Amino acid sequence: MTSQTPSRRDRIGDVAEILLDYVEHKTTHQARSTTQVRTATYTDPDQWKAEMELVFRQLPLMLAFTAEIPNPGDYKAMEVVGLPILINRDKAGTVRAFLNVCSHRGAPVAATGHGHCARFTCKYHGWTYGQDGKLIGVSESALFGEVDRASMGLRALPCEERAGMIFVCLTPNGVMDLDGYFRGFLDDFEAVDLGSWTYLGSREIEGANWKIAFDGYLEGYHFASLHPETIEPRTPSNRTSYEGFGPSLRIGFPQHRIAEALKGVPRAEWGDQENNGFDFVRILFPNVSAFLAPEITQIAQLFPGPTPDKNRTVLNYLRRDPIRDEEDRANVEAMITFFRDVTYQEDYVIGMEIQKGLESGAHDHLTFGRNERGNQYFHEWLTWYLEDDRSRPEPTL
């Protein structure tokens, strides 16, 4: 008799049962031991440079949503770790990514933000490029001279659209294996049909070193002390489950009302009850945190800033249904402002205080407890990539 791999639905039902037990018995997921991380991890310019080269410029980064550029001709231009990036959907519906740099004199061919066009035009000298990145027009070409247009298109980047998200590798000619990297985790986003959702907009905030900020998304130990009026009334502190999908994580958080919510629901259906008694934060390594909820979804993209002590975070907001009317739009804007303010005022402000504390030299190490396994796991994987030795065993939960 062969055993069968549990379905996604069965796994979520099992997690719901674990979270119910955590609440009833006042416990949580426990690592084998506490672990220490050097404070220099958050301050060292050499590590920061290594993170740019070995992590952010090599791994698949989720840079956009299908809902941001749903139609042929739509595009998004942005800066990512100092690189100008252009993502567009061509007339056949295929998503492409390029360095947003004209091959003539290096100016951008699209302004930062979202737009729609049949071709991209450099505002410096008016050279034009097709949606496939090919150079199609040289201003006053008879006076300019001969150019090899076939070799002077926009520099393409590896790009793939999956599960309502658009992934890009920032290294030209790099290789992306999303299935091998996410190991089934994208099924969660396929299951909710994220690709058909409505993009509601984004807000940007700035804070301390990107890992200080990201640490806050990886545990619920701080809810009672840091979020007593916003998160803790819904979600108890220090009751957290963890599942690993390669370097990515699905983090389970029970609600105070989990027993009430699941009472009367057949056990076989607990896998369908997300947001009814329990929630998940989904971590896409290295820098994305997604909280999917029926009212509004917040998906944070954390990018290292121009120096080790800073990060730039883009908070994206989506939901299943389009905006109905002006009253609905006003309500959505109010929710977006609320989530942005909580994230910045309660998490990022203390993160900047932590940055100062670490730079003071008061301690050589930070300690992550047995109850903070998500943080431990994240830093283990980060170290694994920075050591750049794929023969080493991968971290496991």
Side-chain angles (χ1 to χ4, degrees):
M1 183 175 182
T2 59
S3 61
Q4 293 184 337
T5 302
S7 68
R8 172 187 173 276
R9 182 171 181 259
D10 289 340
R11 290 177 68 178
I12 288 178
D14 292 343
V15 171
E17 187 170 14
I18 290 168
L19 293 172
L20 176 61
D21 180 75
Y22 286 168
V23 170
E24 291 180 337
H25 294 94
K26 295 182 170 53
T27 187
T28 191
H29 185 114
Q30 295 272 279
R32 289 183 292 273
S33 64
T34 63
T35 190
Q36 290 187 325
V37 172
R38 297 178 309 119
T39 55
T41 296
Y42 304 91
T43 62
D44 181 15
D46 289 336
Q47 172 155 342
W48 175 79
K49 291 176 184 177
E51 290 165 357
M52 299 304 100
E53 293 302 320
L54 297 174
V55 176
F56 281 89
R57 296 196 179 187
Q58 299 294 330
L59 300 182
L61 300 180
M62 195 286 288
L63 295 188
F65 301 93
T66 297
E68 286 185 90
I69 54 170
N71 304 308
D74 289 347
Y75 71 84
K76 177 183 182 181
M78 62 193 299
E79 180 181 307
V80 182
V81 295
L83 297 177
I85 305 299
L86 173 62
I87 303 169
N88 78 301
R89 189 178 300 278
D90 68 19
K91 60 183 179 182
T94 301
V95 169
R96 303 173 182 268
F98 307 95
L99 291 171
N100 185 15
V101 181
C102 179
S103 62
H104 171 216
R105 297 272 292 278
V109 301
T112 298
H114 298 84
H116 181 93
C117 64
R119 61 185 60 186
F120 298 101
T121 303
C122 173
K123 65 181 179 181
Y124 196 9
H125 294 93
W127 285 30
T128 57
Y129 299 83
Q131 294 173 346
D132 58 3
K134 292 180 179 179
L135 176 62
I136 57 176
V138 176
S139 300
E140 297 194 58
S141 59
L143 298 179
F144 187 86
E146 292 292 328
V147 297
D148 180 7
R149 296 193 185 194
S151 67
M152 295 183 68
L154 298 176
R155 192 68 181 273
L157 297 171
C159 177
E160 188 172 345
E161 183 174 24
R162 291 280 294 276
M165 297 173 286
I166 297 166
F167 297 89
V168 178
C169 174
L170 299 184
T171 297
N173 302 317
V175 176
M176 287 201 309
D177 174 12
L178 295 185
D179 290 326
Y181 185 70
F182 287 113
R183 307 183 194 185
F185 198 24
L186 296 183
D187 292 350
D188 273 17
F189 298 89
E190 292 280 13
V192 299
D193 194 21
L194 186 66
S196 70
W197 288 26
T198 296
Y199 185 72
L200 302 172
S202 66
R203 300 288 187 272
E204 289 195 15
I205 57 178
E206 295 181 351
N209 178 277
W210 71 278
K211 298 181 297 297
I212 290 176
F214 209 50
D215 277 335
Y217 293 92
L218 299 172
E219 45 88 2
Y221 186 32
H222 66 283
F223 288 174
S225 53
L226 194 63
H227 304 295
E229 297 179 0
T230 51
I231 296 178
E232 205 282 332
R234 174 188 178 99
T235 307
S237 267
N238 215 20
R239 309 286 180 260
T240 312
S241 69
Y242 294 102
E243 300 166 89
F245 299 80
S248 297
L249 285 165
R250 184 164 62 199
I251 309 176
F253 295 93
Q255 298 170 11
H256 288 287
R257 59 182 293 274
I258 185 170
E260 173 190 349
L262 297 180
K263 183 178 181 180
V265 178
R267 173 61 182 81
E269 298 177 11
W270 285 13
D272 302 322
Q273 299 303 307
E274 181 176 352
N275 303 129
N276 179 37
F278 61 95
D279 304 293
F280 289 107
V281 168
R282 292 172 171 88
I283 300 297
L284 302 181
F285 189 90
N287 69 325
V288 171
S289 170
F291 174 62
L292 308 180
E295 303 83 6
I296 194 168
T297 280
Q298 176 175 286
I299 301 181
Q301 300 164 293
L302 283 77
F303 299 106
T307 54
D309 60 332
K310 293 181 172 61
N311 89 81
R312 178 177 67 91
T313 296
V314 182
L315 302 172
N316 300 278
Y317 298 94
L318 303 93
R319 75 175 188 188
R320 293 180 184 273
D321 303 320
I323 297 293
R324 294 185 295 273
D325 50 37
E326 289 306 311
E327 180 181 2
D328 185 33
R329 184 180 301 278
N331 291 334
V332 164
E333 290 296 321
M335 284 192 289
I336 289 175
T337 298
F338 171 77
F339 281 112
R340 186 274 315 273
D341 289 349
V342 168
T343 304
Y344 179 76
Q345 295 171 5
E346 297 186 6
D347 288 290
Y348 278 50
V349 168
I350 197 170
M352 289 184 281
E353 294 173 346
I354 290 170
Q355 184 77 49
K356 292 179 181 178
L358 300 184
E359 291 173 351
S360 75
H363 305 288
D364 294 331
H365 296 86
L366 300 183
T367 301
F368 289 107
R370 293 182 61 205
N371 58 329
E372 297 175 302
R373 181 57 188 146
N375 302 81
Q376 296 181 9
Y377 191 70
F378 166 76
H379 285 276
E380 288 167 7
W381 270 100
L382 181 62
T383 299
W384 190 84
Y385 279 111
L386 293 178
E387 291 182 350
D388 199 22
D389 178 5
R390 299 299 186 265
S391 67
R392 292 179 57 246
E394 295 180 347
T396 60
L397 278 174

